[in-house]
Amino acid sequence: VCIADSDQFLSIIGGNIQEAVIHSEVQNFIKKVPLFAALSKKKLESLIKAITMQTYNDGQLIITQGEEDSKFYIIKSGKIDIIVNKNYIRTVNETESFGERALFFKERRSATAKANGKVDVYVLEEKDFKNLLEDNLKEFLLKRLYLQDNTVELEDLDYVGILGSGNFGSVYLVQS
């Protein structure tokens, strides 16, 4: 058993107990985010140093469709509604993230993100986000973005086969 006085303890944790507690909270949260679960220790530390937290109240806009923005968001607590052309699309929950599309493709924001109640989000600037990307993480995010592509038209799809028919119509398997 090693006993340390308060000065030695503060020296071990880096001098500020409040900063050490916040660092630990952020680290524990980030490890729960599936997107960052496989980050190396070095990348995880870089992420923790670069991340900031912002709080939004109910109804407050986090991003607005059509605007230019260079941030990536991870929901720490609360829920965020995603709206495209004034139509509700879905709700994003704790540990989920959004905003990568604009960073990868240099596009304006494709949706509005609106706080549904009080929301705390971790924010990462574009340069810090891109520094974190390892090949497998970048590939995963790009695949996720291509799945969200809403520019596919019915004429772009190839018929594969019929899956079933019922009183209200038929269901077909198609591919893009």
Side-chain angles (χ1 to χ4, degrees):
V1 175
C2 178
I3 299 175
D5 64 25
S6 60
D7 290 336
Q8 290 170 322
F9 176 74
L10 290 174
S11 174
I12 291 167
I13 65 167
N16 187 327
I17 195 161
Q18 197 168 16
E19 285 179 20
V21 169
I22 291 169
H23 181 278
S24 178
E25 285 177 4
V26 173
Q27 185 177 36
N28 289 337
F29 175 80
I30 292 299
K31 287 180 178 179
K32 294 178 191 174
V33 177
L35 184 61
F36 300 121
L39 280 183
S40 68
K41 214 172 196 175
K42 184 178 176 183
K43 294 275 186 174
L44 181 62
E45 281 302 315
S46 295
L47 172 62
I48 292 168
K49 287 178 184 170
I51 209 163
T52 60
M53 193 178 80
Q54 294 179 354
T55 299
Y56 296 88
N57 294 316
D58 187 37
Q60 197 172 2
L61 299 182
I62 299 159
I63 60 174
T64 303
Q65 185 175 357
E67 76 179 357
E68 290 183 13
D69 190 14
S70 60
K71 296 180 181 111
F72 176 73
Y73 302 87
I74 309 158
I75 302 173
K76 179 184 180 219
S77 64
K79 296 179 179 191
I80 295 173
D81 292 333
I82 304 299
I83 301 158
V84 176
N85 299 326
K86 299 183 181 177
N87 296 312
Y88 167 83
I89 302 298
R90 66 186 176 107
T91 298
V92 187
N93 299 295
E94 291 178 15
T95 72
E96 291 186 274
S97 58
F98 60 96
E100 65 274 12
R101 178 178 207 90
L103 303 183
F104 275 121
F105 302 123
K106 298 287 184 200
E107 296 177 345
R108 292 181 178 274
R109 293 299 182 174
S110 60
T112 295
K114 181 179 174 183
N116 183 342
K118 183 178 179 270
V119 179
D120 291 323
V121 294
Y122 286 120
V123 181
L124 199 59
E125 294 292 333
E126 180 178 13
K127 65 178 174 43
D128 297 316
F129 174 75
K130 289 187 173 178
N131 285 337
L132 284 174
L133 293 180
E134 296 167 344
D135 289 339
N136 56 346
L137 180 57
K138 184 176 182 179
E139 187 178 315
F140 169 78
L141 285 170
L142 286 171
K143 282 182 182 176
R144 189 169 95 171
L145 290 173
Y146 289 126
L147 288 174
Q148 296 172 357
D149 185 3
N150 60 0
T151 60
V152 176
E153 299 292 333
L154 191 58
E155 302 82 43
D156 299 330
L157 301 175
D158 296 324
Y159 172 81
V160 175
I162 191 162
L163 295 175
S165 293
N167 290 336
F168 298 103
S170 300
V171 178
Y172 299 95
L173 177 62
V174 296
Q175 67 184 12
S176 173

